[in-house]
Amino acid sequence: MSEYLVIILNETGAEVTEAGLVNKAGAWLEAVPAHAVASTTADQVVAVLTGAGVSLWRETLPALPSAKLQKILPGLMEDRLAGPASAMHFALMGTSADGSQLVAAVDRSVMDNAAATLAALGHAAARLVPDFMLLSESEGAQVLKGPDGLCRVRLPDGTGFTAEESLTESMLESASEVVVSPESWHATLARAAATPITLKQGRYAGRADMVTALLWFRRAGLIALAGLILWAVTVSFETTRLNREADAAYTEAEALFRASFPDVRRVANMRAQARQEVMKLRQLSGGEFLKLSTLLFEQSNTLEGVLLEGLRFDNARGELAATLSFASFADGETFKNGLSASGVMVTEGGSRQEGARVVTDLTLRSAS
C-alpha cells in the first residue's frame, strides 16, 4: 500500500480533477484514474483544493490561543471581505518570525462540497491544502501554470493566489521579480503529503463522516428560520409596538425568575413570589444572593451589550451561577475584571461563540 493518496479538487470542491500516489519520500509515483480513486487505498489521504476561491492575507492578530482566534476571526476579518463574514470559513496558515500570521478565507459551501465529494469516494482527508500554498517562498513571486490553464502564485510575503493567466499577469505587474517555479506540476502536488498547512480547522477539523448530518441540520435551520420570520411578521401586524415590548419584557422576566428559582413550579404573581423567594434566601444565606446579584447587575450596567441569559443561586455553596452573552471576548474579559475589582471571586466555566455573540458561564462567590 502506498504512503499517500493525493486528491485534487476543483475550486468549488465538488469535483475531482486529478489524483495520484506519493511515496514516503514525497515523490509522485503515478496518476490514479478518476474511476479508481474510490478503490485506491493509502496510509493517508490528502486533498488539494484549486485555490481560485481562497483568499489569503498576512495579519497581525491578538496573542490568543488558536482556538480563541478561530472564534473571533470573522469579526477581525470582516472589513477585508466583499460579502458577509458569516458565509466564510477562516483558517490560520502559519506564523512568521515577526509574529504576523497568514489568514485564509474560503466560502463555507466550498468546504462542505469538498467534504461531501471525499465522503462519496469513501475517503476522509487528513488535510485540505490550497494549491498555491504548495509553492516555495522566495525573494520573487513564484508562478506555476497547471494543466487546467490556471496559474498558481506564491508571493514573497507568503501570501498567494490562483487565477487565470491574463489576470495573473495583471496582478504581478508591480512585482519586483517573477520566477517560474522550477518544479513540475506533479512534483509540486506531491508536496501536499508533507505540508502541515490545512484549511480543515475549527468546525471542519477532524471532520469525516458528518456531512449528511450537517446538511440535515442546515435544512432544519432554514426551516426554523423561515418559521421565525413568519412569526415575527404575524406579530408585527397583530400587536402594537408597546404591547410587543411589554410581552417581551414579561417573558424575559419570567424566564429569569424560573432560572433563578427553579423550585417554584407555578408562577401566579411573579412580583410577590420573587419577594418571598428573596426573603427566604436572605434568611438562609445572610443576604449572599442579594449581595452577589447586586454586584452582577451593577457591573452589567457599566458595559453596553451585556445580556443576562440565566441565573441560579447555590445556597449550600453560597455561589451565584450566571450565564451572560457579550459582543466580544474582550467585553467578557472586561466584565470579569470589573467583578474581580469589586471584591468578587469569579470562576469562568467556559465561553462559546453563538452566532455574533460570545456566551460565557460565570460563577460568583464572595471573597470573604
Side-chain angles (χ1 to χ4, degrees), residues 6 8 17-23 26-32 48 134-135 144-148 152 181-193:
V6 178
I8 297 84
T17 61
E18 194 175 355
L21 298 174
V22 177
N23 65 18
W28 183 275
L29 297 177
E30 61 178 326
V32 176
V48 175
L134 298 177
L135 296 175
L144 176 64
K145 186 176 180 180
D148 54 4
R152 282 74 182 170
S181 175
E183 293 185 323
S184 68
W185 172 246
H186 284 157
T188 300
L189 292 178
R191 299 180 67 180

Side-chain angles (χ1 to χ4, degrees), residues 9 12-14 47 49 109-119 123 128 211:
L9 304 173
T12 67
L49 177 68
S109 64
V110 174
M111 298 295 293
D112 293 336
N113 288 342
T117 301
L118 293 168
H123 294 301
L128 179 62
V211 177

